[in-house]
Amino acid sequence: QVWQIRLDMHLLNHDGNITDAASIAGIVALCHFRRPDVSVQGEEVTVYTPEERDPVPLSIHHMPICVSFAFFHQGTYLLVDPTEREERVMDGLLVIAMNKHHEICTIQSSGVVMLLPDQILRCSKITAVKVAEITELIQKALENDQKARKEGGKFGFAESIPNQRITAFKMDSAAVDTNDVEEQAGEIIAKADPPSEVFASPVLHTPGTAQIGEGTESSWGDLEESEKEEEAEEEEGESEAAAFECEKVETEDTSTLRENKNEPIVLSDSEEEEVVILEPQELPRKTR
């Protein structure tokens, strides 16, 4: 039989390089955790409460710490612990997990940059230095916490709560006087103006539209009137074009008559087959 441990991480603030922060938080939580003490006699397992026996820590053999590297300009520039803005413009990301014994636990590469073996070796050397520093900080924090617990004090997260170090936007509590609340509410209601029972009559701008009370006028009627005006303008344009064509035809006919005013006009009679020649001044009013 084994213990089943589940570790959940809730992100409160993100300013880049969440992998490194999550690895440090996870390993510290596992090192700080205490499980109930257990005794096994044959097939009988006894789990003791914290009052019966002190909880015991987990058996953690090493601390794998992640260190992230951001690459820019196809690997020309290298940056450790990139921020959120730097992650937006980076070409590639390399994450190396290592313990203080210089043992590589995992390597993850992402992005569009191609890394050379020399670059990976350089990053691994930097990782070894950073992991040693972070591991030393973690061990000191755990030792201080254990020392504070033995002395009966508070350390770490428990100490930060009363000092308001985490809740930066917390407001100071203020006393609220709840005496005579009902009387004050009654006075406010009595002084307030009664609601108006008169409703505004609907205003009909155009057929099919209405407005109740104050507000902006509907533009539907304006659209209909503008459409009617456009149709009227189109009809006027068509009539003007037709009139212009008629004037053009009359002008052409008049010019033709003026050109032929000195020529005699011949009128023929199909029944008697007689031809009569008339001068221009003797033309009848109606001619065919």
Side-chain angles (χ1 to χ4, degrees):
Q1 297 183 0
V2 297
W3 287 102
Q4 181 180 1
I5 300 175
R6 175 178 174 178
L7 177 62
D8 295 332
M9 296 187 184
H10 299 275
L11 187 63
L12 300 180
N13 187 15
H14 176 37
D15 193 26
N17 198 8
I18 189 61
T19 305
D20 295 8
S23 68
I24 295 173
I27 194 66
V28 172
L30 294 175
C31 293
H32 188 267
F33 176 72
R34 299 291 186 271
R35 65 170 178 83
D37 195 5
V38 179
S39 64
V40 181
Q41 296 179 356
E43 295 183 355
E44 183 180 357
V45 179
T46 304
V47 179
Y48 299 97
T49 61
E51 290 77 12
E52 295 174 347
R53 290 187 181 181
D54 293 335
V56 296
L58 300 177
S59 299
I60 298 177
H61 301 287
H62 64 103
M63 300 181 184
I65 305 298
C66 294
V67 180
S68 299
F69 300 89
F71 295 92
F72 302 89
H73 294 286
Q74 298 300 321
T76 305
Y77 300 101
L78 174 65
L79 182 64
V80 184
D81 190 9
T83 62
E84 191 266 340
R85 290 186 176 181
E86 292 167 347
E87 288 180 351
R88 292 183 182 180
V89 296
M90 67 182 180
D91 296 333
L93 181 68
L94 178 65
V95 181
I96 300 178
M98 184 183 295
N99 57 18
K100 66 178 181 179
H101 305 294
H102 297 182
E103 296 175 349
I104 296 178
C105 302
T106 181
I107 295 179
Q108 181 183 5
S109 178
S110 60
V112 296
V113 65
M114 300 296 293
L115 300 178
L116 299 176
D118 295 340
Q119 292 175 320
I120 298 177
L121 290 175
R122 180 188 175 191
C123 293
S124 63
K125 294 179 181 179
I126 298 174
T127 302
V129 177
K130 300 296 293 183
V131 167
E133 296 176 356
I134 296 173
T135 304
E136 184 178 358
L137 292 174
I138 292 174
Q139 290 177 349
K140 286 184 178 180
L142 293 174
E143 291 175 1
N144 293 334
D145 178 77
Q146 186 176 3
K147 182 179 179 180
R149 287 176 181 273
K150 287 183 179 180
E151 296 176 356
K154 294 182 179 181
F155 184 79
F157 185 80
E159 184 188 12
S160 63
I161 293 177
N163 295 332
Q164 299 181 2
R165 294 179 183 175
I166 295 178
T167 55
F169 297 100
K170 182 179 178 181
M171 299 179 62
D172 297 334
S173 58
V176 179
D177 187 10
T178 58
N179 298 327
D180 301 332
V181 175
E182 296 182 357
E183 297 179 0
Q184 294 178 4
E187 293 177 359
I188 295 173
I189 295 173
K191 293 179 180 179
D193 296 333
S196 177
E197 298 180 357
V198 180
F199 297 96
S201 58
V203 179
L204 298 177
H205 297 284
T206 56
T209 62
Q211 177 181 332
I212 299 177
E214 297 180 357
T216 57
E217 297 183 356
S218 175
S219 60
W220 298 344
D222 299 339
L223 293 176
E224 293 179 358
E225 293 179 359
S226 61
E227 291 177 357
K228 293 179 180 180
E229 292 178 357
E230 290 178 358
E231 293 178 358
E233 290 178 358
E234 291 179 358
E235 293 178 357
E236 289 181 2
E238 293 177 358
S239 60
E240 290 179 358
F244 178 74
E245 292 292 337
C246 294
E247 292 178 359
K248 184 177 180 182
V249 173
E250 291 178 357
T251 305
E252 292 178 354
D253 295 341
T254 307
S255 61
T256 304
L257 291 175
R258 289 180 179 176
E259 291 176 358
N260 301 331
K261 65 180 181 179
N262 296 325
E263 297 179 0
I265 298 176
V266 180
L267 299 177
S268 61
D269 191 353
S270 60
E271 295 179 357
E272 299 179 357
E273 296 181 358
E274 292 182 357
V275 178
V276 181
I277 298 175
L278 301 176
E279 295 296 331
Q281 61 271 15
E282 297 179 359
L283 288 175
R285 295 182 178 178
K286 295 181 180 180
T287 59
R288 292 184 181 178

